[in-house]
Amino acid sequence: MLGFKQRTTENPEKNDKIRDILLNNVVEGLIVADESGDIIYSNDLGQAILDDGAFGPIDIVSQNPKTFMFNSREYKAQYDKIFEGGSVGGTIATLVDTMELKEQTKELSELKEQLQRTLGFKEAFLSNMSHEIRTPIHAIIGFSEIMMKESGDERIKTQIEMIKDSSYSLLAIINDVLDLSKIESGKMQLVNSNYYISYIIRDIEATYSLLASRKGIKFDMHLDDNIPSNLYGDKIRLRGTLLNILNNAVKFTREGHIDFYIRVVDKKDDIVTLCFEVKDTGIGIRREDREKIFESFSRFDIQNNYSVEGRGLGLSIAKGYMDLMGGRIEVDSEYGVGSSFKVIVDQKIVDDSPIDMDIVNARKKKKGEGFAIKGMKALVVDDNPVNLTVAEGLMKTYGLVVEKASGGKEAISLCMSNQYDIVFMDQMMPEVDGIKAMKEIRKINEYYGEKCCIIVLTADAMAGAREKLLAEGFDEYLSKPLEMHRLEAMLLKFVPEQNIVDIDKLNNEDIIIEETKQASEEKEKDNAKDEILDTAEKLGIDPDALRKRVRDCGGSLKDYASVCRIACKHAENKVRKLKEAQLSGDYDRYTIEVHALKSTFASLGNTDLAERARQQEFAGKEGNHQFIDEGMDALIKDYIAFIERIKAVVLDIDDSEKKAKAGGSGEEWTKEEIAQISNKFLSLADEFKFGDIFDILDNIRNIEKGPETKAFFDELTNIMNNLDIDELKAFLGGHVMR
């Protein structure tokens, strides 16, 4: 009956007892009915439910999946049909205790919460312990360095060096364990930023050429010549991935060589696909072990590598980093011959200029350390006075004789009457832009046509920009804001060997250098970090960005202040030009002006305002005038607020001095004079000659005036800065003689 087709004994009565025992020990209630709904069989729980009336034959016939209560428990009915001879012969109703399922689910949920709490405790423990352990390790390292400097005993110095190296090893273990914990818990997040890949390459070359040489291994680097210099991504994770793979290569290579390749696999729009490959002649990996090498705490072939120190975490962490970055690691290895690890990852291009310009110093040994340029004259062309000041200061640092031009026309005129060895030309300028000016200069004579080096200065760092500008006729491309290491690399590339002088051998009578790179670095060290940090906080900008700008301005906050002073001097005029261009619908001119403003922000270290100005510039190039109109006022408002912070924090303009100037100490203008100037301004406003109004206000600004007269012009200037024409006419109309 009901599926019992095979009898276990020859006694039917015994079989029925066995069946009843089995069915009655089932937790669920079981009820069997024929096709008409008559009950054929039920176990004990099923019969009790039938007797209670909570569930009945009618439910089986209708196959109603009802939920009901019985003995304070909740049950739900489920149905299965019985087929006999191809037709339905009945139905089995299974009455499932859903409360038990809910209780099990609740138990699982509580278990999950407990597990999460445990993992949280683990993460908190690791984090706290790593912090607590790091602190004394840093102290050990610091005191080790002090002892090494103070000790004159070479034997003791060697022992202290071993203590320091061991401390760094312990610190690396702590960092690895913490990183692995974050990866496993899903708490690790990318920290993306702009970075120069040359820094990573330079560190790798310096570190691993030394480590390899200590083992008698050759270490070589092979770089594509089209690797973009400035990228956007998580440089810490990328560097960590490469270091972990290179560490393994050095550890497991006893003889032979290690080669490190960086190739450009693909470039599309502003994304570059890079392949970093590490090839070694080490012990290799057995085929059966390749799938396990990325597991945590895994080490293989211990018998042949018993002397190699390691935690088995490096490759696991490297893979975690790449998974997070959307990259991958490929492995090819032959046991006993060597291994190849490829790291393939996409990064966003910030500056497409080639990397060899950035690592010239590192690749030319110490040629760039402490050098000066003798007997060369440079022309710097830029319509932005802040950029001109920064460029002049940096170039004089290397001994260049520098002259400046504030536009393309002036540059052409100067080149016609002077001979410059090198010209740095801004790309985007009003009237005559950099490309037109360069081409006109090339036509002046044979020297400028063939021999003079003309380098374009541009903030346009998108992929393909360098190739386009070089095709126009420039010799090279230098991105803004101007930075010392990039300028240095450019000078070493184009300045003839005979004009480069070692700073240690330089005779003061030969050349006057305002400031060497070494002196600049010393000034930066002397300049207290707390002072820069405090200044950055008061200005509301990133301390690292300010520290970098201070270094590139000359090395001290005093040097930075000289650049700030120029920026403040021209700020009001810049605001006027931006508003005038936008109001008149001259968005091409607006794009040029905001392009220059972007460089100003970058030179001052305000990366946030620089990015917003870049977005405005991009909108201008794309013809997105609505974006400009919607964002200009906020940008200008924050620009003015930033300039005011600079005046107070960096330039230390005293509030009492401001109030004294605001009060006015000159003579009052007569009503007739105010009416006359008001009539003039109304006439200019009717003709939309707002530039003339601003010029007159600029001329009047420095004239001493009485308090009432000064208040009139201050209000007028404020209205003009907002370019509210209706308010302007209403204000001037109130001062016209009737």
Side-chain angles (χ1 to χ4, degrees), residues 63-123:
Q63 296 197 3
N64 177 21
K66 68 184 294 185
T67 299
F68 58 91
M69 299 297 296
F70 175 73
N71 283 349
S72 301
R73 307 288 294 180
E74 183 181 81
Y75 290 87
K76 183 176 181 179
Q78 298 176 351
Y79 304 95
D80 293 290
K81 294 179 179 178
I82 303 172
F83 292 92
E84 291 182 354
S87 60
V88 177
T91 302
I92 299 177
T94 306
L95 309 178
V96 181
D97 187 341
T98 58
M99 289 186 70
E100 184 175 351
L101 291 175
K102 289 179 180 179
E103 289 168 357
Q104 291 175 353
T105 302
K106 182 180 178 182
E107 289 176 5
L108 289 173
S109 178
E110 290 174 350
L111 185 62
K112 179 183 177 182
E113 289 178 5
Q114 184 179 355
L115 181 60
Q116 288 176 337
R117 284 196 299 270
T118 303
L119 291 173
F121 292 147
K122 172 191 171 185
E123 185 179 347

Side-chain angles (χ1 to χ4, degrees), residues 254-273:
R254 296 172 184 169
E255 59 183 17
H257 57 86
I258 297 171
D259 291 282
F260 181 52
Y261 299 85
I262 305 181
R263 304 184 183 94
V264 174
V265 177
D266 188 30
K267 274 186 186 179
K268 189 173 182 182
D269 298 328
D270 62 346
I271 300 295
V272 60
T273 302

